[in-house]
Amino acid sequence: HVTGSLIGTGLSSSASVGLAYLKALADVNDLELTNEQLVHLDFELEHNELGLQNGLLDPMSIIHGRKNALLFMDTITASVSPIPDPLLSFDWVVAYSGISRELTKSGFNVRVDECYQAAAALLPDVKILSDVPREVFEDRKMRLPKNLRKRAAHFFTEVERVHAGAKAWYEANLEAFGQLMNQSCASSIHNYESGSEILIELHELVSSTTGIYGSRFSGGGYGGCVVALAEKDRAETACMEIKDRFSAI
């Protein structure tokens, strides 16, 4: 039940706009809203008004984001633990696909519903996969339809990767963190089946570029960006190479 992906938040425009409006509305009415209230109000706004079945990841990232730190977030308890950036030299590279995304018109909500279905099929009294023990999934997974088994497999392995990623970041192991990003994206593609063709091509291109430790979709992968961890002294050259190679596709 930790963050749904390893550096996977797309920081949706709906969350950004929603939070901006909420803060403005609070200011003009002399209301004091805590960070937790802002996160949950934006969550309700996206669910009830936009029909987007997302979680707390995006508003939590926006509200709690800080410079020079990675956020380790538990989206069930809404707790946030910053992990300071390692002293090693690195850069983040964001490669835009040129394709905008609108999650309510993508497969995003379908995937969320499939996760609900998988949880209920594994344990009838629960709604979400974080309430299903991993050993129950391993014992009963072959009873699930293939699509639900793959969605649940993505969830459980992604939780493991997030914990491993936090450890790697704390230990300044950039190579391990990059490998986890690649593994996370591979699971998004093959188990969660959320990547669009152009984002998959862009991810593969970015991760195969010299100086890149690893990459994954920024968000669900239906459009938007790929985010990558890069060696600092090779990041600029890598960006130029990615741009040239992607333009040639």
Side-chain angles (χ1 to χ4, degrees), residues 185-233:
C185 201
S187 184
S188 292
I189 294 167
H190 301 295
N191 286 328
Y192 210 61
E193 297 181 300
S194 63
S196 60
E197 182 177 346
I198 191 67
L199 261 292
I200 293 172
E201 289 186 6
L202 182 55
H203 156 67
E204 292 173 346
L205 186 158
V206 171
S207 284
S208 65
T209 301
T210 300
I212 299 295
Y213 291 111
S215 74
R216 66 150 289 124
F217 305 145
S218 176
Y222 299 101
C225 302
V226 166
V227 61
L229 181 63
E231 298 176 37
K232 191 173 186 64
D233 59 352

Side-chain angles (χ1 to χ4, degrees), residues 7-150:
I7 312 297
T9 176
L11 297 183
S12 68
S13 58
S14 57
S16 302
V17 172
L19 286 167
Y21 270 101
L22 286 168
K23 286 186 70 67
L25 186 63
D27 287 344
V28 299
N29 288 281
D30 294 322
L31 298 175
E32 291 289 337
L33 296 177
T34 65
N35 286 341
E36 290 72 20
Q37 288 174 317
L38 285 167
V39 167
H40 284 280
L41 284 170
D42 182 76
F43 171 81
E44 293 177 9
L45 173 64
E46 296 200 70
H47 270 242
N48 299 335
E49 301 300 325
L50 301 181
L52 182 62
Q53 301 303 304
N54 64 334
L56 301 180
L57 182 60
D58 283 352
M60 284 176 63
S61 299
I62 296 168
I63 290 294
H64 296 286
R66 65 170 63 181
K67 187 177 181 180
N68 299 327
L70 194 71
L71 297 183
F72 181 81
M73 296 183 287
D74 186 319
T75 53
I76 299 299
T77 64
S79 63
V80 180
S81 301
I83 306 174
D85 287 346
L87 297 178
L88 300 176
S89 295
F90 68 91
D91 264 331
W92 292 106
V93 171
V94 179
Y96 179 49
S97 66
I99 306 298
S100 61
R101 60 177 188 160
E102 187 172 343
L103 292 182
T104 54
K105 295 181 180 179
S106 69
F108 186 91
N109 284 351
V110 174
R111 294 295 178 271
V112 174
D113 186 62
E114 288 174 328
C115 288
Y116 290 148
Q117 293 177 46
L122 289 165
L123 281 178
D125 294 332
V126 308
K127 182 181 179 181
I128 55 178
L129 284 167
S130 61
D131 288 335
V132 179
R134 176 66 184 269
E135 57 269 22
V136 172
F137 167 66
E138 294 298 340
D139 182 60
R140 303 180 182 180
K141 62 184 179 182
M142 297 313 295
R143 304 179 192 178
L144 296 174
K146 184 178 180 180
N147 66 319
L148 301 188
R149 185 166 66 249
K150 292 170 72 173

